[in-house]
C-alpha cells in the first residue's frame, strides 16, 4: 500500500508504547522489548498466495517451473526493513510536518509528526536472491481399519533468530507427542487412521515448507486428510483454541480432560472463567461468550482462523478442517520475532518450568489420538451452522446500523 501511494522504501519499527517500556520493564530486567529489539517479519502478499513466491499453486521441487522474480505478484516492489525503536528515534525526531493524530502517537519522548521530511534517509537494502533448499521433516504412522483417512499434525521448526517461544516451545511439544505415540506403538497400539507428523521449515519467510508440501500433495490430501492440527510456539496461561467450527465441540471435549498446571482445574474450566470475567466486564464476543453458546450445548466458542501460520494451505487452500492451539495470555512480552526470544528470556519470563509445554503435548496428543481412533469422526456441524448464523446476524445488525446513520446524514443534508 505504501508503494501504491508513492513510497520508494519502507522502514517498520515496534513502538515502545506497544510492547516496550510503555507496557512494562524491558529486557533484561523485564520481558518487554529493549531499545535495540527488531521485530522481523515477512511482507510477502500472503492473502494472494503464501509459500514460494516463484511457484504459485505447485510444489517448489527442484524441477518446478518458476516465475521470474520480477513477475511474482506477491513480492513487494519497494525495499522494506524492520528497525528497532532505538534506531527509529533519531529518524522520527528529525521529521517535520503536521502532528500525527492521537491514535498514531507512541511512547517515544518526542512530538510525533507525519513529515514529509525535512530529513532525508539513505536506505540501502541488500537482498540475497539465491535459491536454497529447505527441509520439512515428515513422519507417518500407518493406520489400520481406516488407513486411508489421515490426521495431520504440524508445527514449524525454523525461527527468525533463536526462536525459543516461536517456534521451539511448540516444536518440543510436538516431538514429545511423537515420542509418546512411538512408545504406545512399541507396546502394541495401532491407530485406526493414519497419523502424519510434520515439522515445517521456512514458515517465517512465508509459510514455505507447509505450503509447498501441501501443494505437492494436494490431490492426496484432499482425498485422505480429515483434519490438520497446528501449533506455532507456546507460552503460559490460557489455552487458545481457533479453527474450523465443525471441530469446536470436539476440541472443547479434549480441553475438559487436560489439567491446567497452575490452577489444577481443567484448561477448559480456566478458559471459561476467563470468558465469564471478560463478559462481566463488557468484553464478551458477539453474544457467543462464556456460559454457553446459542444452542446451549455448553461449548466455549473457538476463534476463526485467518492466515499467519502453517494451517493456511490446509484450511484456506485445500478445505481441510483445521485447529490451531497454544497456551498464552499470562506471559506478557516484547520479544516477538526478535533475537531476544531465546532460552534465557523463555525460562525467566514465559513458561519458566515448561509445565505448559507438557500441557500442550497432553492437549494435542489427546486430540490426535481421539481423531485417529474415533469410531465415527467427531465433527459436529451444528456448531458450524450456529457460527455462520451468528455471522449473518452480525452482518444484518451492521447493515441496520449503517442504514440508520446514513438516514441521519440524509436528513441533515
Ligand atoms: Zn511461528
Amino acid at each position: 500500500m505504501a508503494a501504491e501511494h508513492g513510497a520508494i522504501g519502507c522502514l517498520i519499527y515496534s513502538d515502545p508504547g506497544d510492547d516496550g517500556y510503555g507496557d512494562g520493564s524491558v529486557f533484561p530486567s523485564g520481558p518487554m522489548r529493549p531499545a535495540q529489539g527488531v521485530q522481523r517479519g515477512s511482507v510477502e502478499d500472503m492473502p494472494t498466495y503464501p509459500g514460494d513466491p516463484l511457484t504459485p499453486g505447485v510444489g517448489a521441487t527442484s524441477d518446478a517451473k518458476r516465475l521470474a522474480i520480477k513477475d511474482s505478484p506477491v513480492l513487494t516492489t519497494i525495499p522494506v526493513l524492520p528497525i528497532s525503536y532505538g534506531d527509529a528515534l533519531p529518524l522520527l525526531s528529525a521529521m517535520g510536518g503536521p502532528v500525527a493524530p492521537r491514535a498514531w502517537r507512541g511512547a517515544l519522548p518526542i512530538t510525533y509528526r507525519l513529515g514529509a521530511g525535512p530529513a532525508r534517509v539513505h536506505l540501502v537494502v541488500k537482498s540475497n536472491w539465491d535459491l536454497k533448499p529447505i527441509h520439512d521433516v515428515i513422519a507417518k504412522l500407518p493406520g489400520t481399519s481406516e488407513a486411508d483417512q489421515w490426521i495431520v499434525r504440524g508445527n514449524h521448526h525454523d525461527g527468525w533468530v533463536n526462536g525459543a517461544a516461536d517456534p521451539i516451545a511448540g516444536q518440543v511439544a510436538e516431538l514429545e507427542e511423537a515420542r509418546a505415540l512411538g512408545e504406545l506403538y512399541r507396546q502394541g497400539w495401532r491407530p485406526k487412521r493414519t497419523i502424519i507428523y510434520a515439522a515445517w521449515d521456512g514458515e517465517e519467510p512465508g509459510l514455505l515448507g507447509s505450503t509447498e508440501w501441501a501443494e505437492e500433495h494436494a490431490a492426496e490430501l484432499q482425498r485422505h486428510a480429515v483434519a490438520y492440527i497446528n501449533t506455532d510456539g507456546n507460552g503460559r496461561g490460557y489455552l487458545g483454541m481457533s479453527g474450523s467450527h465443525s471441530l469446536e465441540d470436539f476440541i472443547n471435549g479434549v480441553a475438559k480432560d487436560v489439567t491446567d498446571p497452575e490452577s489444577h482445574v481443567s484448561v477448559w474450566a480456566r478458559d471459561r472463567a476467563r470468558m465469564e470475567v471478560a463478559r462481566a466486564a463488557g468484553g464478551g464476543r458477539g453474544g457467543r461468550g462464556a456460559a454457553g453458546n446459542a444452542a446451549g450445548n455448553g461449548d466455549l466458542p473457538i476463534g476463526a482462523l485467518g492466515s499467519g501460520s502453517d494451517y493456511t494451505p490446509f484450511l484456506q487452500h485445500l478445505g481441510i478442517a483445521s485447529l490451531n492451539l497454544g497456551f498464552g495470555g499470562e506471559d506478557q512480552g516484547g520479544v516477538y520475532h526478535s533475537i531476544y526470544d531465546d532460552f534465557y528470556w523463555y525460562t525467566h519470563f514465559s513458561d519458566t518450568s515448561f509445565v505448559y509445554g507438557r500441557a500442550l503435548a497432553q492437549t494435542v496428543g489427546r486430540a490426535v489420538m481421539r481423531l485417529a481412533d474415533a469410531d465415527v469422526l467427531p465433527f459436529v456441524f451444528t456448531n458450524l451452522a450456529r457460527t455462520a448464523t451468528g455471522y449473518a446476524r452480525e452482518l444484518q445488525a451492521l447493515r441496520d446500523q449503517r442504514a440508520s446513520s446514513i438516514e441521519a446524514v440524509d436528513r441533515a443534508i
Side-chain angles (χ1 to χ4, degrees):
M1 189 184 285
E4 283 166 18
H5 287 81
I8 56 166
C10 184
L11 297 174
I12 301 175
Y13 81 103
S14 300
D15 194 277
D18 292 329
D19 66 0
Y21 54 73
D23 228 14
S25 297
V26 302
F27 187 84
S29 53
M32 305 312 295
R33 193 178 300 276
Q36 298 311 321
V38 178
Q39 181 190 148
R40 291 148 184 82
S42 175
V43 291
E44 181 178 350
D45 179 9
M46 277 185 239
T48 299
Y49 63 82
D52 185 334
L54 305 184
T55 62
V58 298
T61 51
S62 53
D63 56 352
K65 204 174 142 213
R66 289 185 160 74
L67 298 177
I69 289 168
K70 66 172 176 37
D71 294 330
S72 171
V74 297
L75 293 172
T76 55
T77 53
I78 60 172
V80 181
L81 197 68
I83 60 174
S84 66
Y85 64 81
D87 288 340
L89 180 59
L91 300 176
L92 290 168
S93 309
M95 280 170 70
V99 174
R102 188 163 290 277
W104 292 25
R105 299 174 206 163
L108 291 169
I110 54 167
T111 302
Y112 284 73
R113 294 183 182 277
L114 297 175
R120 296 171 67 87
V121 174
H122 182 61
L123 175 66
V124 179
V125 178
K126 289 183 183 164
S127 297
N128 182 342
W129 295 99
D130 289 353
L131 275 186
K132 292 264 171 54
I134 59 170
H135 301 279
D136 292 338
V137 182
I138 312 287
K140 188 163 145 184
L141 191 58
T144 50
S145 59
E146 310 283 355
D148 62 341
Q149 296 183 4
W150 302 352
I151 312 300
V152 189
R153 192 278 187 253
N155 190 107
H156 68 97
H157 68 74
D158 65 300
W160 271 125
V161 197
N162 299 302
D166 175 10
I168 298 304
Q171 183 65 73
V172 292
E174 184 182 28
L175 287 175
E176 174 58 12
E177 294 157 42
R179 188 198 64 77
L181 295 183
E183 184 57 39
L184 285 169
Y185 186 85
R186 270 188 290 278
Q187 293 172 17
W189 171 70
R190 298 289 181 270
K192 286 182 184 154
R193 297 183 179 81
T194 297
I195 297 173
I196 296 174
Y197 265 64
W200 308 118
D201 200 355
E203 190 265 359
E204 300 292 9
L207 316 179
L208 305 178
S210 55
T211 301
E212 299 311 316
W213 189 81
E215 287 175 345
E216 182 67 13
H217 300 282
E220 291 165 275
L221 285 165
Q222 282 186 315
R223 218 170 20 250
H224 299 293
V226 295
Y228 173 69
I229 306 183
N230 192 67
T231 58
D232 185 337
N234 198 41
R236 182 178 83 234
Y238 306 88
L239 176 63
M241 305 186 286
S242 307
S244 303
H245 289 85
S246 52
L247 289 170
E248 185 174 73
D249 184 68
F250 166 73
I251 199 61
N252 267 262
V254 171
K256 283 176 183 168
D257 292 335
V258 178
T259 302
D260 177 69
E262 284 177 355
S263 64
H264 306 295
V265 298
S266 72
V267 297
W268 183 89
R270 208 176 168 207
D271 271 16
R272 185 179 62 170
R274 184 194 208 192
M275 284 184 197
E276 280 175 358
V277 169
R279 195 170 62 159
R285 272 188 303 172
R288 280 202 71 215
N293 51 32
N297 70 357
D299 286 336
L300 301 178
I302 65 173
L305 288 175
S307 183
S309 190
D310 293 308
Y311 50 77
T312 303
F314 296 93
L315 176 65
Q316 320 289 12
H317 295 210
L318 300 178
I320 297 162
S322 299
L323 287 170
N324 189 54
L325 303 168
F327 288 90
E330 273 193 330
D331 49 349
Q332 183 207 29
V335 300
Y336 180 67
H337 283 181
S338 79
I339 198 170
Y340 298 94
D341 176 9
D342 67 1
F343 187 79
Y344 182 92
W345 180 89
Y346 196 80
T347 51
H348 283 75
F349 301 111
S350 185
D351 182 17
T352 53
S353 55
F354 307 120
V355 287
Y356 280 96
R358 182 177 59 201
L360 186 63
Q362 290 170 337
T363 306
V364 185
R366 267 185 176 82
V368 167
M369 286 185 71
R370 287 184 189 182
L371 284 168
D373 272 341
D375 289 329
V376 177
L377 282 168
F379 293 114
V380 175
F381 293 100
T382 44
N383 288 54
L384 173 61
R386 194 160 48 242
T387 305
T389 306
Y391 291 159
R393 218 175 282 132
E394 281 174 31
L395 273 178
Q396 185 64 43
L398 194 62
R399 195 217 76 90
D400 294 348
Q401 191 194 334
R402 294 278 297 179
S404 57
S405 71
I406 289 168
E407 273 169 32
V409 172
D410 277 353
R411 270 196 303 275
I413 293 169

